[in-house]
Amino acid sequence: MAVRGEAFEGFVTAASPRLLRLAILLVGDRGAAEDLLQEVLERMYVAWPRIAEPEAYARQALAHRATNRWRHRSRRPEVALTDEHDVTVPGPEPSQRDSLLAALAVLTDRQRTTVVLRFFEDFTVEQTAEAMNCSVGTVKSQTARALPRLRDLLALPEDSCP
C-alpha cells in the first residue's frame, strides 16, 4: 500500500502543474479547474494499480469530466487548500492569458474542449475524438467552427490560427 501511495504522490507532484493548466483551459475558471482536477485525482488513486499511462489517463478523464461536469456536481463540502499547495501554471503573460481565457469562455463546451485538446495538448483528431467520446467528424466540425470565432474574438489575422 505504501508503494502505491508513494508512486501516486510522485505522479501528482510531477504532473499537477500540467494537468491544472489543462483543466483551467477546459473550464475557464481556476477554482472550478482545481475542483475538477481533485475529482480526477481522487478517482485515479482508487484505480492506480490498473492505470498503465497515468498522464494520458488523467488528460482523458479531465476532458470527460469537463464535458459532463454539470452532471457530476457533488454535494460534498469543500476543503480549502493551504499556501503549500499553491502551484504556478506556466503559460502566456497575464494579459494574454486573460484574453485567451475570455475568448475560450465564449466558445461552447465542445468547441473549447476540442481546441484545448488539439492545440494546447497536441492531441491528434483521433485522440481528441476518443477523449471526448465523439466521432472524428465532430472534432473536425467543432474545430472548424471554433477557430474563426477565436480569431475574431482575439482580433487575430486569418493566418495566425492553425
Side-chain angles (χ1 to χ4, degrees), residues 30-119:
R30 185 179 176 107
E34 288 172 349
D35 291 344
L36 181 69
L37 179 57
Q38 182 176 346
E39 289 175 23
V40 167
L41 292 175
E42 286 173 359
R43 291 174 179 264
M44 284 183 70
Y45 183 77
V46 173
W48 187 251
R50 298 183 305 271
I51 298 175
E53 295 180 39
E55 193 147 353
Y57 183 98
R59 286 181 177 158
Q60 186 166 359
L62 283 169
H64 281 289
R65 301 284 294 176
T67 302
N68 297 315
R69 71 184 184 274
W70 61 272
R71 294 181 192 164
H72 300 287
R73 297 206 178 177
S74 64
R75 302 253 181 226
R76 292 179 284 165
E78 294 184 10
V79 177
L81 294 175
T82 62
D83 289 338
E84 71 186 53
H85 295 98
D86 220 4
V87 226
T88 57
V89 179
E93 294 297 318
S95 63
Q96 293 173 330
R97 182 178 56 234
D98 293 344
S99 299
L100 178 61
L101 287 175
L104 286 171
V106 173
L107 300 177
T108 66
D109 287 345
R110 289 192 103 163
Q111 289 174 347
R112 181 175 48 252
T113 302
T114 303
V115 168
V116 169
L117 293 177
R118 291 277 293 123
F119 302 107

Coordinates of all heavy atoms in Angstrom, one line a residue, residues 30-119:
R30 N -10.2 29.0 -12.6 CA -9.2 28.3 -11.8 C -9.8 27.5 -10.6 O -9.5 26.3 -10.4 CB -8.2 29.2 -11.2 CG -7.0 28.5 -10.5 CD -6.0 29.4 -9.9 NE -5.0 28.6 -9.2 CZ -3.8 28.3 -9.6 NH1 -3.4 28.8 -10.8 NH2 -3.0 27.6 -8.9
G31 N -10.8 28.0 -9.9 CA -11.4 27.3 -8.9 C -12.1 26.0 -9.3 O -12.0 25.0 -8.7
A32 N -12.9 26.2 -10.4 CA -13.6 25.0 -11.0 C -12.6 24.0 -11.5 O -12.8 22.8 -11.4 CB -14.5 25.4 -12.1
A33 N -11.4 24.5 -12.1 CA -10.4 23.6 -12.6 C -9.7 22.8 -11.4 O -9.5 21.7 -11.6 CB -9.4 24.4 -13.3
E34 N -9.5 23.5 -10.3 CA -8.9 22.8 -9.2 C -9.8 21.7 -8.7 O -9.4 20.6 -8.3 CB -8.6 23.8 -8.1 CG -7.4 24.7 -8.4 CD -7.2 25.8 -7.4 OE1 -8.1 26.1 -6.5 OE2 -6.1 26.5 -7.5
D35 N -11.1 22.0 -8.6 CA -12.1 21.0 -8.2 C -12.1 19.8 -9.2 O -12.2 18.7 -8.7 CB -13.5 21.6 -8.1 CG -13.6 22.6 -6.9 OD1 -12.8 22.6 -6.1 OD2 -14.6 23.4 -7.0
L36 N -12.1 20.2 -10.4 CA -12.2 19.1 -11.5 C -10.9 18.2 -11.3 O -11.0 17.0 -11.4 CB -12.2 19.8 -12.8 CG -12.3 18.9 -14.0 CD1 -13.6 18.1 -14.1 CD2 -12.0 19.7 -15.3
L37 N -9.8 18.8 -11.2 CA -8.5 18.0 -11.1 C -8.5 17.2 -9.8 O -8.1 16.0 -9.8 CB -7.3 19.0 -11.1 CG -5.9 18.3 -11.0 CD1 -5.7 17.2 -12.1 CD2 -4.8 19.3 -11.0
Q38 N -9.0 17.7 -8.7 CA -9.1 17.0 -7.5 C -10.0 15.8 -7.6 O -9.7 14.7 -7.2 CB -9.6 17.9 -6.4 CG -9.6 17.1 -5.0 CD -10.1 18.1 -3.9 OE1 -10.1 19.3 -4.0 NE2 -10.4 17.4 -2.8
E39 N -11.1 15.9 -8.3 CA -12.0 14.8 -8.5 C -11.4 13.7 -9.3 O -11.5 12.5 -9.0 CB -13.3 15.3 -9.2 CG -14.2 16.1 -8.4 CD -15.4 16.6 -9.2 OE1 -15.7 16.0 -10.3 OE2 -16.0 17.6 -8.8
V40 N -10.7 14.1 -10.4 CA -10.0 13.1 -11.3 C -8.9 12.4 -10.5 O -8.7 11.2 -10.6 CB -9.4 13.8 -12.5 CG1 -8.4 12.9 -13.3 CG2 -10.6 14.3 -13.4
L41 N -8.1 13.2 -9.7 CA -7.0 12.5 -8.9 C -7.6 11.6 -7.9 O -7.0 10.6 -7.6 CB -6.1 13.6 -8.3 CG -5.3 14.4 -9.3 CD1 -4.5 15.5 -8.6 CD2 -4.3 13.5 -10.1
E42 N -8.7 11.9 -7.3 CA -9.3 11.0 -6.3 C -9.7 9.7 -6.9 O -9.4 8.6 -6.4 CB -10.6 11.7 -5.7 CG -10.4 12.8 -4.7 CD -11.6 13.5 -4.3 OE1 -12.7 13.1 -4.8 OE2 -11.6 14.4 -3.5
R43 N -10.3 9.8 -8.1 CA -10.7 8.6 -8.8 C -9.4 7.8 -9.3 O -9.5 6.5 -9.3 CB -11.6 8.9 -10.0 CG -12.9 9.4 -9.5 CD -13.7 9.9 -10.7 NE -15.0 10.3 -10.3 CZ -16.1 9.6 -10.3 NH1 -16.1 8.3 -10.7 NH2 -17.3 10.1 -9.9
M44 N -8.4 8.5 -9.7 CA -7.2 7.8 -10.1 C -6.5 7.1 -9.0 O -5.9 6.0 -9.2 CB -6.2 8.8 -10.7 CG -6.6 9.3 -12.1 SD -5.3 10.4 -12.8 CE -4.0 9.3 -13.0
Y45 N -6.6 7.6 -7.8 CA -5.9 7.0 -6.6 C -6.5 5.6 -6.4 O -5.8 4.6 -6.2 CB -6.0 7.8 -5.4 CG -5.3 7.1 -4.2 CD1 -3.9 7.2 -4.1 CD2 -6.0 6.4 -3.2 CE1 -3.2 6.6 -3.1 CE2 -5.3 5.8 -2.2 CZ -4.0 5.9 -2.1 OH -3.3 5.3 -1.1
V46 N -7.8 5.5 -6.5 CA -8.5 4.2 -6.3 C -8.1 3.2 -7.4 O -7.9 2.1 -7.2 CB -10.1 4.4 -6.3 CG1 -10.8 3.1 -6.3 CG2 -10.4 5.3 -5.1
A47 N -8.0 3.7 -8.6 CA -7.7 2.8 -9.8 C -6.2 2.7 -10.1 O -5.8 2.1 -11.0 CB -8.5 3.4 -11.0
W48 N -5.4 3.3 -9.3 CA -4.0 3.5 -9.5 C -3.3 2.2 -10.0 O -2.5 2.2 -11.0 CB -3.3 4.1 -8.3 CG -1.8 4.4 -8.6 CD1 -0.7 3.7 -8.1 CD2 -1.3 5.4 -9.5 NE1 0.4 4.3 -8.6 CE2 0.1 5.3 -9.4 CE3 -1.9 6.4 -10.3 CZ2 0.9 6.2 -10.2 CZ3 -1.1 7.2 -11.0 CH2 0.3 7.1 -10.9
P49 N -3.5 1.0 -9.3 CA -2.8 -0.2 -9.8 C -3.2 -0.6 -11.2 O -2.4 -1.3 -11.8 CB -3.3 -1.3 -8.7 CG -3.8 -0.5 -7.6 CD -4.3 0.8 -8.1
R50 N -4.3 -0.2 -11.7 CA -4.7 -0.6 -13.0 C -4.4 0.4 -14.1 O -4.7 0.1 -15.3 CB -6.2 -0.9 -13.0 CG -6.7 -2.0 -12.1 CD -8.2 -2.2 -12.2 NE -9.0 -1.0 -11.9 CZ -9.4 -0.6 -10.7 NH1 -9.1 -1.2 -9.7 NH2 -10.1 0.5 -10.6
I51 N -3.8 1.5 -13.8 CA -3.5 2.6 -14.8 C -2.1 2.4 -15.3 O -1.2 2.4 -14.6 CB -3.7 4.0 -14.1 CG1 -5.1 4.2 -13.6 CG2 -3.3 5.0 -15.1 CD1 -5.3 5.4 -12.9
A52 N -2.1 2.2 -16.6 CA -0.8 1.9 -17.3 C -0.1 3.3 -17.6 O 1.1 3.4 -17.4 CB -1.0 1.1 -18.6
E53 N -0.8 4.2 -18.1 CA -0.3 5.5 -18.5 C -1.0 6.6 -17.8 O -2.0 7.1 -18.2 CB -0.4 5.7 -20.0 CG 0.4 4.7 -20.9 CD 0.2 5.0 -22.3 OE1 0.2 6.2 -22.7 OE2 0.1 4.0 -23.1
P54 N -0.5 7.0 -16.6 CA -1.3 7.9 -15.7 C -1.6 9.3 -16.3 O -2.7 9.8 -16.2 CB -0.4 8.0 -14.5 CG 0.6 6.9 -14.6 CD 0.7 6.5 -16.0
E55 N -0.6 9.9 -17.0 CA -0.9 11.2 -17.5 C -1.9 11.2 -18.6 O -2.8 12.0 -18.7 CB 0.4 11.9 -18.0 CG 0.2 13.4 -18.2 CD 1.4 14.2 -17.9 OE1 2.4 13.7 -17.4 OE2 1.3 15.4 -18.2
A56 N -1.8 10.2 -19.5 CA -2.8 10.1 -20.6 C -4.2 9.8 -20.0 O -5.2 10.4 -20.4 CB -2.4 9.0 -21.5
Y57 N -4.2 9.0 -19.0 CA -5.5 8.6 -18.3 C -6.1 9.9 -17.7 O -7.3 10.2 -17.8 CB -5.2 7.6 -17.2 CG -6.4 7.1 -16.5 CD1 -7.1 5.9 -16.8 CD2 -6.9 7.8 -15.4 CE1 -8.2 5.5 -16.1 CE2 -8.0 7.4 -14.7 CZ -8.6 6.2 -15.1 OH -9.7 5.8 -14.4
A58 N -5.2 10.7 -17.0 CA -5.7 11.9 -16.4 C -6.2 12.9 -17.4 O -7.2 13.5 -17.1 CB -4.5 12.5 -15.5
R59 N -5.5 13.1 -18.5 CA -6.0 14.0 -19.5 C -7.3 13.6 -20.0 O -8.2 14.4 -20.2 CB -5.0 14.1 -20.6 CG -3.7 14.9 -20.3 CD -2.8 14.9 -21.4 NE -1.6 15.7 -21.1 CZ -0.5 15.7 -21.7 NH1 -0.3 14.8 -22.7 NH2 0.5 16.4 -21.3
Q60 N -7.5 12.3 -20.3 CA -8.8 11.9 -20.9 C -9.9 12.0 -19.8 O -11.0 12.5 -20.1 CB -8.6 10.4 -21.3 CG -9.9 10.0 -22.0 CD -9.7 8.7 -22.8 OE1 -8.6 8.1 -22.8 NE2 -10.8 8.2 -23.4
A61 N -9.5 11.7 -18.6 CA -10.5 11.9 -17.5 C -10.9 13.3 -17.3 O -12.1 13.6 -17.1 CB -10.0 11.3 -16.2
L62 N -10.0 14.2 -17.4 CA -10.3 15.7 -17.3 C -11.2 16.1 -18.4 O -12.1 16.9 -18.2 CB -9.0 16.5 -17.3 CG -8.2 16.5 -16.0 CD1 -6.8 17.2 -16.3 CD2 -8.9 17.3 -15.0
A63 N -10.9 15.7 -19.7 CA -11.7 16.0 -20.8 C -13.2 15.5 -20.6 O -14.1 16.2 -20.8 CB -11.1 15.5 -22.1
H64 N -13.3 14.2 -20.2 CA -14.6 13.7 -19.9 C -15.4 14.4 -18.8 O -16.5 14.8 -19.0 CB -14.5 12.2 -19.5 CG -14.3 11.3 -20.6 ND1 -15.2 11.0 -21.6 CD2 -13.2 10.5 -21.0 CE1 -14.8 10.1 -22.4 NE2 -13.5 9.8 -22.1
R65 N -14.7 14.7 -17.7 CA -15.3 15.3 -16.6 C -15.7 16.8 -16.9 O -16.7 17.3 -16.5 CB -14.5 15.3 -15.4 CG -14.1 13.9 -14.9 CD -15.2 13.2 -14.1 NE -15.5 13.9 -12.9 CZ -16.5 13.5 -12.1 NH1 -17.2 12.4 -12.4 NH2 -16.7 14.1 -11.0
A66 N -14.8 17.5 -17.7 CA -15.1 18.9 -18.1 C -16.3 18.9 -19.0 O -17.2 19.8 -18.9 CB -13.9 19.5 -18.8
T67 N -16.4 18.0 -19.9 CA -17.5 18.0 -20.9 C -18.8 17.7 -20.2 O -19.9 18.3 -20.5 CB -17.3 16.9 -22.0 OG1 -16.1 17.2 -22.6 CG2 -18.4 16.9 -23.0
N68 N -18.8 16.8 -19.2 CA -20.0 16.4 -18.5 C -20.1 16.9 -17.0 O -20.8 16.4 -16.2 CB -20.1 14.9 -18.5 CG -20.3 14.4 -19.8 OD1 -21.0 14.9 -20.6 ND2 -19.5 13.3 -20.1
R69 N -19.4 18.0 -16.7 CA -19.2 18.4 -15.3 C -20.6 18.8 -14.7 O -20.7 18.7 -13.5 CB -18.2 19.6 -15.2 CG -18.6 20.9 -15.7 CD -17.5 21.9 -15.6 NE -17.9 23.2 -16.0 CZ -17.8 23.6 -17.2 NH1 -17.4 22.9 -18.2 NH2 -18.2 24.9 -17.5
W70 N -21.5 19.3 -15.4 CA -22.8 19.7 -14.8 C -23.5 18.4 -14.3 O -24.3 18.5 -13.4 CB -23.7 20.4 -15.8 CG -24.0 19.6 -17.1 CD1 -23.2 19.6 -18.2 CD2 -25.1 18.8 -17.3 NE1 -23.8 18.7 -19.1 CE2 -25.0 18.2 -18.6 CE3 -26.2 18.4 -16.5 CZ2 -25.9 17.4 -19.1 CZ3 -27.1 17.6 -17.0 CH2 -27.0 17.0 -18.3
R71 N -23.2 17.2 -14.8 CA -23.9 16.0 -14.4 C -23.2 15.5 -13.1 O -23.8 14.7 -12.4 CB -23.7 14.9 -15.4 CG -24.5 15.2 -16.7 CD -24.3 14.0 -17.6 NE -24.7 14.3 -18.9 CZ -24.4 13.7 -20.0 NH1 -23.6 12.6 -19.9 NH2 -24.9 14.0 -21.2
H72 N -21.9 15.9 -12.9 CA -21.2 15.3 -11.8 C -21.0 16.2 -10.6 O -20.1 15.9 -9.8 CB -19.8 14.8 -12.3 CG -19.9 13.9 -13.4 ND1 -20.3 12.5 -13.2 CD2 -19.7 14.0 -14.8 CE1 -20.3 11.9 -14.4 NE2 -19.9 12.7 -15.3
R73 N -21.7 17.2 -10.5 CA -21.5 18.1 -9.3 C -21.9 17.4 -8.1 O -22.9 16.8 -7.9 CB -22.4 19.4 -9.5 CG -21.9 20.1 -10.7 CD -22.2 21.5 -10.6 NE -21.7 22.1 -11.8 CZ -21.8 23.4 -12.1 NH1 -22.5 24.2 -11.3 NH2 -21.3 23.8 -13.2
S74 N -21.0 17.4 -7.1 CA -21.3 16.7 -5.9 C -21.7 17.7 -4.8 O -21.6 18.9 -4.9 CB -20.0 16.0 -5.5 OG -19.0 16.9 -5.2
R75 N -22.2 17.1 -3.7 CA -22.7 17.9 -2.6 C -21.7 17.8 -1.4 O -22.1 18.2 -0.3 CB -24.0 17.4 -2.2 CG -25.0 17.4 -3.3 CD -26.0 18.5 -3.0 NE -27.0 18.5 -4.1 CZ -27.4 19.6 -4.7 NH1 -26.9 20.7 -4.4 NH2 -28.3 19.5 -5.7
R76 N -20.5 17.4 -1.7 CA -19.5 17.3 -0.6 C -19.0 18.7 -0.2 O -18.8 19.5 -1.1 CB -18.3 16.4 -1.0 CG -18.7 15.0 -1.2 CD -17.5 14.2 -1.6 NE -17.3 14.5 -3.1 CZ -16.3 14.2 -3.7 NH1 -15.2 13.6 -3.2 NH2 -16.2 14.5 -5.0
P77 N -18.7 18.9 1.0 CA -18.2 20.2 1.4 C -16.8 20.4 0.9 O -16.0 19.4 0.8 CB -18.2 20.2 2.9 CG -18.2 18.7 3.3 CD -18.9 18.0 2.1
E78 N -16.4 21.6 0.6 CA -15.1 21.9 0.1 C -14.1 22.1 1.2 O -14.5 22.6 2.3 CB -15.1 23.2 -0.8 CG -15.9 23.0 -2.1 CD -15.9 24.3 -2.9 OE1 -15.1 25.2 -2.7 OE2 -16.6 24.3 -3.9
V79 N -12.9 21.7 1.0 CA -11.8 21.9 2.0 C -10.8 22.9 1.4 O -10.3 22.6 0.3 CB -11.2 20.6 2.4 CG1 -10.0 20.8 3.3 CG2 -12.2 19.6 2.9
A80 N -10.5 24.0 2.0 CA -9.6 25.0 1.5 C -8.2 24.5 1.5 O -7.8 23.8 2.4 CB -9.7 26.3 2.3
L81 N -7.4 24.7 0.4 CA -6.0 24.4 0.4 C -5.2 25.4 1.1 O -5.5 26.6 1.1 CB -5.6 24.3 -1.1 CG -6.2 23.2 -1.9 CD1 -5.7 23.3 -3.4 CD2 -5.8 21.8 -1.4
T82 N -4.1 25.0 1.6 CA -3.1 25.9 2.2 C -2.2 26.4 1.2 O -2.1 25.9 0.0 CB -2.4 25.2 3.3 OG1 -1.6 24.2 2.8 CG2 -3.3 24.7 4.4
D83 N -1.3 27.4 1.5 CA -0.4 28.0 0.6 C 0.6 27.0 0.1 O 1.2 27.1 -1.0 CB 0.4 29.2 1.2 CG -0.6 30.4 1.4 OD1 -1.6 30.5 0.7 OD2 -0.2 31.2 2.2
E84 N 0.9 26.0 0.9 CA 1.9 25.0 0.5 C 1.5 24.2 -0.8 O 2.3 23.6 -1.5 CB 2.2 24.0 1.6 CG 1.1 23.0 1.9 CD 1.4 22.2 3.1 OE1 1.7 22.7 4.2 OE2 1.3 21.0 3.0
H85 N 0.2 24.2 -1.1 CA -0.3 23.5 -2.3 C -0.4 24.4 -3.5 O -0.8 23.9 -4.5 CB -1.7 22.9 -2.0 CG -1.7 21.9 -0.9 ND1 -2.1 22.2 0.4 CD2 -1.4 20.6 -0.9 CE1 -2.0 21.1 1.1 NE2 -1.6 20.1 0.3
D86 N 0.0 25.6 -3.4 CA -0.2 26.6 -4.5 C 0.8 26.2 -5.6 O 2.0 25.9 -5.4 CB 0.2 28.0 -4.0 CG -0.8 29.0 -4.7 OD1 -1.7 28.6 -5.4 OD2 -0.5 30.2 -4.4
V87 N 0.3 26.1 -6.8 CA 1.1 25.8 -8.0 C 1.1 26.9 -9.0 O 0.0 27.5 -9.2 CB 0.6 24.5 -8.7 CG1 1.6 23.5 -9.0 CG2 -0.6 23.9 -8.1
T88 N 2.2 27.2 -9.6 CA 2.2 28.2 -10.7 C 1.9 27.5 -12.0 O 2.4 26.4 -12.2 CB 3.5 28.9 -10.8 OG1 4.6 28.0 -10.9 CG2 3.8 29.7 -9.5
V89 N 1.1 28.0 -12.8 CA 0.8 27.4 -14.1 C 1.5 28.2 -15.2 O 1.3 29.4 -15.4 CB -0.8 27.6 -14.3 CG1 -1.1 27.0 -15.7 CG2 -1.5 26.9 -13.2
P90 N 2.4 27.5 -15.9 CA 3.2 28.1 -16.9 C 2.3 28.5 -18.1 O 1.2 27.8 -18.3 CB 4.2 27.1 -17.4 CG 3.6 25.8 -16.9 CD 2.7 26.1 -15.7
G91 N 2.6 29.5 -18.8 CA 1.8 29.9 -19.9 C 2.1 31.4 -20.3 O 3.1 31.9 -20.0
P92 N 1.2 32.0 -21.1 CA 1.4 33.3 -21.6 C 1.4 34.4 -20.5 O 1.0 34.1 -19.4 CB 0.2 33.5 -22.6 CG -0.8 32.5 -22.2 CD -0.1 31.4 -21.5
E93 N 1.7 35.6 -20.9 CA 1.7 36.7 -19.9 C 0.2 36.9 -19.4 O -0.7 36.5 -20.1 CB 2.1 38.0 -20.7 CG 3.5 38.0 -21.1 CD 4.5 37.9 -19.9 OE1 4.3 38.6 -18.9 OE2 5.5 37.2 -20.0
P94 N 0.1 37.5 -18.2 CA -1.3 37.6 -17.6 C -2.3 38.2 -18.5 O -3.4 37.8 -18.6 CB -1.0 38.4 -16.4 CG 0.4 38.1 -16.0 CD 1.1 37.9 -17.3
S95 N -1.9 39.3 -19.2 CA -2.9 40.0 -20.1 C -3.3 39.1 -21.3 O -4.5 39.0 -21.6 CB -2.3 41.3 -20.6 OG -1.2 41.1 -21.4
Q96 N -2.3 38.4 -21.9 CA -2.7 37.5 -22.9 C -3.5 36.3 -22.4 O -4.4 35.8 -23.1 CB -1.4 36.9 -23.6 CG -0.6 38.0 -24.3 CD 0.8 37.4 -24.8 OE1 1.3 36.5 -24.2 NE2 1.2 37.9 -25.9
R97 N -3.1 35.8 -21.2 CA -3.8 34.7 -20.7 C -5.3 35.1 -20.4 O -6.2 34.3 -20.7 CB -3.1 34.2 -19.4 CG -3.8 33.0 -18.7 CD -3.1 32.5 -17.5 NE -3.0 33.6 -16.5 CZ -1.8 33.9 -15.9 NH1 -0.7 33.3 -16.3 NH2 -1.8 34.9 -15.1
D98 N -5.5 36.3 -19.9 CA -6.9 36.7 -19.6 C -7.7 36.8 -20.9 O -8.8 36.4 -20.9 CB -6.8 38.0 -18.8 CG -6.3 37.9 -17.4 OD1 -6.2 36.8 -16.9 OD2 -5.9 39.0 -16.9
S99 N -7.1 37.4 -21.9 CA -7.8 37.5 -23.2 C -8.1 36.1 -23.8 O -9.2 35.9 -24.3 CB -6.9 38.2 -24.2 OG -6.6 39.5 -23.8
L100 N -7.1 35.2 -23.7 CA -7.3 33.8 -24.2 C -8.4 33.1 -23.4 O -9.3 32.5 -24.0 CB -6.0 33.0 -24.1 CG -6.1 31.6 -24.6 CD1 -6.6 31.5 -26.0 CD2 -4.8 30.9 -24.4
L101 N -8.4 33.2 -22.1 CA -9.4 32.6 -21.2 C -10.8 33.2 -21.5 O -11.8 32.4 -21.6 CB -9.1 32.7 -19.8 CG -7.9 31.8 -19.3 CD1 -7.6 32.1 -17.8 CD2 -8.3 30.3 -19.5
A102 N -10.9 34.5 -21.7 CA -12.1 35.1 -22.0 C -12.7 34.6 -23.4 O -13.9 34.4 -23.5 CB -12.0 36.6 -22.0
A103 N -11.8 34.5 -24.3 CA -12.2 34.1 -25.7 C -12.6 32.6 -25.6 O -13.6 32.2 -26.2 CB -11.0 34.2 -26.7
L104 N -11.9 31.8 -24.9 CA -12.3 30.4 -24.8 C -13.6 30.2 -24.1 O -14.4 29.3 -24.4 CB -11.2 29.6 -24.0 CG -9.9 29.3 -24.8 CD1 -8.9 28.7 -23.8 CD2 -10.2 28.4 -26.0
A105 N -13.9 31.1 -23.1 CA -15.2 31.0 -22.4 C -16.4 31.3 -23.2 O -17.5 30.8 -22.9 CB -15.1 32.0 -21.2
V106 N -16.2 32.0 -24.3 CA -17.3 32.4 -25.2 C -17.7 31.1 -26.1 O -18.8 31.0 -26.5 CB -16.9 33.6 -26.1 CG1 -17.9 33.8 -27.2 CG2 -16.7 34.8 -25.3
L107 N -16.7 30.3 -26.3 CA -17.0 29.1 -27.1 C -17.9 28.1 -26.4 O -18.0 28.2 -25.2 CB -15.6 28.3 -27.4 CG -14.6 29.1 -28.2 CD1 -13.3 28.3 -28.4 CD2 -15.1 29.6 -29.6
T108 N -18.5 27.2 -27.1 CA -19.3 26.2 -26.5 C -18.4 25.2 -25.8 O -17.2 25.2 -26.0 CB -20.2 25.4 -27.5 OG1 -19.3 24.7 -28.4 CG2 -21.1 26.4 -28.3
D109 N -18.9 24.4 -24.9 CA -18.1 23.5 -24.1 C -17.3 22.5 -25.1 O -16.2 22.3 -24.9 CB -18.9 22.7 -23.2 CG -19.4 23.5 -21.9 OD1 -18.8 24.5 -21.7 OD2 -20.3 23.0 -21.2
R110 N -18.0 22.0 -26.1 CA -17.4 21.1 -27.0 C -16.3 21.8 -27.9 O -15.3 21.2 -28.1 CB -18.4 20.5 -27.9 CG -19.3 19.5 -27.2 CD -20.1 18.7 -28.2 NE -19.5 17.4 -28.2 CZ -20.0 16.4 -28.7 NH1 -21.2 16.4 -29.2 NH2 -19.4 15.2 -28.8
Q111 N -16.6 23.0 -28.3 CA -15.6 23.7 -29.1 C -14.4 24.0 -28.2 O -13.2 23.8 -28.7 CB -16.2 25.1 -29.6 CG -17.2 24.9 -30.7 CD -17.8 26.2 -31.1 OE1 -17.7 27.2 -30.5 NE2 -18.6 26.1 -32.2
R112 N -14.6 24.5 -27.0 CA -13.5 24.8 -26.1 C -12.6 23.5 -25.8 O -11.4 23.5 -25.9 CB -14.0 25.4 -24.8 CG -12.8 25.7 -23.8 CD -13.3 26.4 -22.6 NE -14.5 25.8 -21.9 CZ -15.7 26.3 -21.9 NH1 -16.0 27.4 -22.5 NH2 -16.7 25.7 -21.3
T113 N -13.3 22.4 -25.5 CA -12.6 21.2 -25.3 C -11.8 20.7 -26.5 O -10.6 20.3 -26.4 CB -13.6 20.1 -24.8 OG1 -14.3 20.5 -23.7 CG2 -12.9 18.8 -24.5
T114 N -12.4 20.8 -27.7 CA -11.7 20.5 -28.9 C -10.5 21.3 -29.1 O -9.4 20.8 -29.4 CB -12.7 20.6 -30.1 OG1 -13.8 19.8 -29.9 CG2 -12.0 20.2 -31.4
V115 N -10.6 22.6 -29.0 CA -9.4 23.5 -29.2 C -8.3 23.2 -28.2 O -7.2 23.1 -28.6 CB -9.9 25.0 -29.2 CG1 -8.7 25.9 -29.1 CG2 -10.8 25.3 -30.4
V116 N -8.7 23.1 -26.9 CA -7.7 22.9 -25.9 C -7.0 21.5 -26.1 O -5.7 21.5 -26.1 CB -8.3 22.9 -24.5 CG1 -7.4 22.4 -23.4 CG2 -8.8 24.3 -24.2
L117 N -7.7 20.5 -26.4 CA -7.0 19.2 -26.6 C -6.2 19.2 -27.9 O -5.1 18.7 -27.9 CB -8.1 18.1 -26.6 CG -8.8 17.8 -25.3 CD1 -9.8 16.7 -25.5 CD2 -7.8 17.4 -24.2
R118 N -6.7 19.7 -28.9 CA -6.0 19.7 -30.2 C -4.8 20.6 -30.2 O -3.7 20.2 -30.7 CB -6.9 20.2 -31.4 CG -8.0 19.2 -31.7 CD -7.6 18.1 -32.6 NE -7.3 18.6 -33.9 CZ -6.1 18.4 -34.5 NH1 -5.1 17.7 -33.9 NH2 -5.8 18.9 -35.7
F119 N -4.9 21.8 -29.7 CA -3.8 22.8 -29.9 C -3.0 23.1 -28.7 O -1.9 23.6 -28.8 CB -4.4 24.1 -30.5 CG -5.1 23.8 -31.8 CD1 -6.5 23.8 -31.9 CD2 -4.3 23.4 -32.9 CE1 -7.1 23.5 -33.1 CE2 -5.0 23.1 -34.1 CZ -6.4 23.2 -34.2

